[in-house]
Amino acid sequence: MAERSTAAVDVADNGGNEPLSAQERKATADGAAGSQKSAEKTASDPGETAKEDPAPGNTSGVTAPELHSGHKLAKRYRLEECVTRLDGFSSWRAVDEKLRRAVGVHVLPAEHPRARSVLAAARSSALLGDPRFVQVLDAVEEGDLVYVVHEWLPDAVELTALLAAAPLEAHDAYQLVEQVSLAMTAAHREGLAHLRLTPSAVLRTSTGQYRIRGLAVNAALRGISVERPQRTDTEAIGALLYAALTQRWPYENDAHGLTGLPKGVGLLPPDQVRAGVHRGLSELAMRALVNDGATASRQDPPCTTPDELAKAVAAMPRIRPPEPTFTAPPDYQRTTYQQGGYGRPAVHPRAVAARTPVVPPAPLESRTGKALKWTVSALLIAALGLGSWQVADRLLDQGKNSREAPTSSETSPPEGDDKPNTPVPLAIHGAQEYAPDGSPQNPSTVGSTYDQDSSSYWRTKTYFDGPEFAPSIKQGVGIVYDLGSEKTVTGGSIALRYGGNHTAISLYAVDSLTPSGPVSSMTKIANGQTGSSTLKLTAEKPVTGRYVLVWMTAMPHSPKDGFSDPGYKQAITDVSFTG
């Protein structure tokens, strides 16, 4: 049974030579991938090839480490999905089990000719500490491996994805060039260059801030070097602004999911490529790009460093965000009581003479109203008299009964009034995942199912087939819970993360946290099936035991959630038992 790999933001992009989706199809969850081209180009002149490492740095004979999903680095970083395998190194989405957060990891052999330069670049980038860059968290040489760990931003979106939908608004493009140029100015001030500043290296967070990943590290992984790093990064920022304004790549070749300019026409200003482009931003993009010193207005000098570009942005009039648009409220629907209908009367083309509304008489002033008023008054007087008589008669009866001694039959409670026992919650003292086939789902998060926190959960893997496990997947998945001592179990309640058709769960009494033998040999307590996110199970007959197995045999088809792809899967948020 094949399991679905989770989708992730690219850790180490491959530039514009090959779409990211093609590379992700080549990289599978166990790390198998096809060969990739190692020739790289900078974001400057499309005909200028970036300088690679000399002959000793040739990586044609170096293969990426043979790692797989589940492998741990430093007994802490668990590799989840191989995103890129290229030029002797591999990039992964991983989990920091110590801090319980997602991270990105680059891994390459220690004997790789670029291993030393990658470590140096990562450590220099980590010392910068600028929040506008995706931070390097660790850079380690361990045995025969060198790996670099960096932040993972699950709520961020690549500029590539933003431009695939539409060009950016003028205010968003202004924020992009301002934030990126200021960030790269700070980096160059510390002697750091990017040299791989492509749309996939720029992320926009949910708060609207732009973050740059791969500072110095992406270029070191590929052995890229240039003679004028400041000019290269400045031209790359200009290309990003050009693409944000026009949704076109400013060279003849298609790259990064964007269509290039028509061949033979040269570098056209953005406001000539697409109508409605902000004139000031168009000129700014031309000043940053390779254009032989020419600009759209042919008056301002070209920007050759990120600092010059940042100052040019600051000199521009600030572009304000667009005014929010509000939908006009619907017309007030007035009720026309006199016409016996709702809404406004239909307006005829011809003018209609105004009608004098008929004013209804005041309440209870008509002949019928006066008769009804006297009838109600008479009924109220009769009811008050009858009520007073009944109250006085009851008081007399109570005084007579209080003087009589109660009999034994009155003092003894009637037989058969015993109330049934109220179910009592049973405390859970521990739990462990049960995987009789040797393929566990997510053992490290079992504790999240009974921590009284509904936002945490234990989730299964994602499968292509379903909803029933058997016979194509496995017999089932489950968790064994320890009640601390022998308890009488009458039922349980299970809160699930996903609804849909359908989830099937059974409860079994087992002999330990690691029971032996097939599930069919265990004592069943209860079973049920649900299409919602809760399932309550009640035993037909109470069962005594210390360990209870929650065994799931069917899961619904659920949409994409965080790092988990759409497919047949389920997650348990809370489990409780009663006895």
Side-chain angles (χ1 to χ4, degrees):
M1 175 59 200
E3 297 174 3
R4 188 193 302 264
S5 299
T6 54
V9 180
D10 185 21
V11 178
D13 60 277
N14 288 331
N17 296 331
E18 185 175 8
L20 172 61
S21 58
Q23 297 173 15
E24 292 191 9
R25 286 193 293 270
K26 294 180 181 180
T28 61
D30 60 358
S35 59
Q36 304 271 358
K37 295 181 180 180
S38 59
E40 300 292 342
K41 293 186 177 183
T42 64
S44 56
D45 189 348
E48 178 186 353
T49 303
K51 295 181 180 180
E52 299 283 347
D53 284 342
N58 187 4
T59 61
S60 59
V62 178
T63 59
E66 290 297 331
L67 304 176
H68 56 82
S69 298
H71 182 88
K72 287 187 182 181
L73 300 174
K75 299 181 180 179
R76 174 177 179 177
Y77 304 110
R78 186 180 74 248
L79 302 183
E80 292 287 323
E81 179 186 6
C82 182
V83 180
T84 303
R85 182 179 293 270
L86 173 71
D87 215 10
F89 71 91
S90 59
S91 300
W92 295 76
R93 176 179 61 80
V95 174
D96 183 349
E97 294 187 337
K98 183 176 181 180
L99 299 179
R100 301 185 68 178
R101 63 179 179 180
V103 294
V105 181
H106 304 302
V107 186
L108 65 163
E111 68 272 11
H112 196 290
R114 300 173 191 160
R116 303 278 77 76
S117 59
V118 170
L119 280 175
R123 290 165 180 169
S124 299
S125 178
L127 292 175
L128 180 62
D130 193 311
R132 291 168 292 197
F133 293 93
V134 175
Q135 297 297 303
V136 172
L137 305 175
D138 210 349
V140 181
E141 180 177 2
E142 184 181 75
D144 57 349
L145 293 178
V146 168
Y147 56 90
V148 177
V149 183
H150 63 82
E151 278 185 300
W152 190 273
L153 306 177
D155 66 331
V157 181
E158 285 186 8
L159 183 60
T160 307
L162 296 175
L163 297 182
L168 299 186
E169 296 288 343
H171 173 72
D172 293 333
Y174 175 84
Q175 292 292 323
L176 168 68
V177 67
E178 179 186 43
Q179 296 181 29
V180 174
S181 60
L182 287 174
M184 291 309 305
T185 298
H188 281 284
R189 191 177 295 123
E190 300 298 327
L192 295 173
H194 196 292
L195 309 183
R196 291 281 302 167
L197 201 53
T198 62
S200 58
V202 179
L203 309 175
R204 188 170 74 178
T205 66
S206 57
T207 60
Q209 296 178 332
Y210 290 92
R211 303 280 299 273
I212 303 172
R213 65 182 172 194
L215 176 66
V217 175
N218 280 1
L221 284 168
R222 293 162 175 79
I224 298 175
S225 62
V226 296
E227 295 180 357
R228 298 179 298 171
Q230 292 203 37
R231 182 59 188 262
T232 298
D233 284 342
T234 305
E235 292 169 0
I237 300 173
L240 294 177
L241 178 59
Y242 194 103
L245 296 173
T246 64
Q247 206 180 6
R248 301 283 293 266
W249 193 239
Y251 305 110
E252 293 183 353
N253 298 327
D254 299 345
H256 313 293
L258 300 173
T259 304
L261 297 178
K263 298 184 182 299
V265 300
L267 183 60
L268 299 174
D271 55 359
Q272 295 182 20
V273 175
R274 176 175 168 266
V277 172
H278 189 278
R279 179 65 181 273
L281 292 177
S282 176
E283 294 180 359
L284 196 65
M286 297 298 289
R287 293 176 64 183
L289 283 168
V290 176
N291 196 28
D292 296 330
T295 65
S297 62
R298 301 189 182 276
Q299 296 176 356
D300 298 320
C303 299
T304 59
T305 67
D307 184 44
E308 293 178 357
L309 182 59
K311 291 178 179 177
V313 175
M316 286 180 56
R318 180 170 293 274
I319 301 176
R320 298 184 178 275
E323 295 292 335
T325 57
F326 299 97
T327 304
D331 292 340
Y332 173 69
Q333 299 296 318
R334 182 178 57 186
T335 301
T336 54
Y337 170 77
Q338 294 81 2
Q339 297 182 0
Y342 296 98
R344 296 182 177 178
V347 179
H348 298 284
R350 299 178 181 179
V352 180
R355 299 178 181 177
T356 303
V358 179
V359 180
L364 301 181
E365 290 299 326
S366 63
R367 182 178 301 175
T368 304
K370 291 179 180 180
L372 179 62
K373 180 169 60 176
W374 285 107
T375 302
V376 171
S377 300
L379 290 174
L380 288 175
I381 294 172
L384 287 173
L386 180 60
S388 301
W389 177 79
Q390 289 179 343
V391 170
D393 185 63
R394 180 169 297 179
L395 290 174
L396 292 174
D397 290 342
Q398 289 179 353
K400 182 185 298 182
N401 293 334
S402 63
R403 292 190 294 268
E404 298 178 358
T407 62
S408 60
S409 62
E410 293 174 348
T411 58
S412 60
E415 298 180 358
D417 286 347
D418 294 337
K419 296 182 179 179
N421 295 330
T422 303
V424 178
L426 302 178
I428 298 175
H429 295 267
Q432 183 171 318
E433 187 171 322
Y434 175 60
D437 59 353
S439 178
Q441 303 294 300
N442 203 347
S444 62
T445 59
V446 168
S448 300
T449 62
Y450 62 97
D451 59 358
Q452 308 301 320
D453 182 3
S454 59
S455 63
S456 60
Y457 52 85
W458 167 86
R459 180 164 54 196
T460 69
K461 295 180 180 179
T462 305
Y463 297 94
F464 290 107
D465 293 340
E468 303 293 340
F469 278 108
S472 60
I473 306 175
K474 54 175 65 184
Q475 295 302 312
V477 297
I479 302 173
V480 178
Y481 293 90
D482 181 7
L483 303 181
S485 61
E486 293 282 338
K487 299 289 176 61
T488 300
V489 182
T490 59
S493 176
I494 302 173
L496 305 169
R497 184 172 177 82
Y498 309 111
N501 186 25
H502 60 269
T503 303
I505 296 179
S506 301
L507 302 183
Y508 292 90
V510 295
D511 55 0
S512 67
L513 277 176
T514 56
S516 58
V519 175
S520 58
S521 65
M522 301 173 184
T523 303
K524 180 179 288 188
I525 301 175
N527 67 287
Q529 177 177 307
T530 182
S532 64
S533 59
T534 57
L535 178 61
K536 294 187 179 296
L537 302 173
T538 303
E540 295 182 1
K541 183 172 64 174
V543 177
T544 301
R546 175 175 175 176
Y547 303 97
V548 179
L549 167 63
V550 175
W551 186 243
M552 187 185 305
T553 57
M555 301 182 299
H557 192 279
S558 304
K560 177 180 175 62
D561 180 17
F563 300 127
S564 177
D565 264 1
Y568 290 94
K569 59 186 177 181
Q570 186 55 276
I572 297 177
T573 61
D574 290 294
V575 171
S576 60
F577 302 104
T578 56

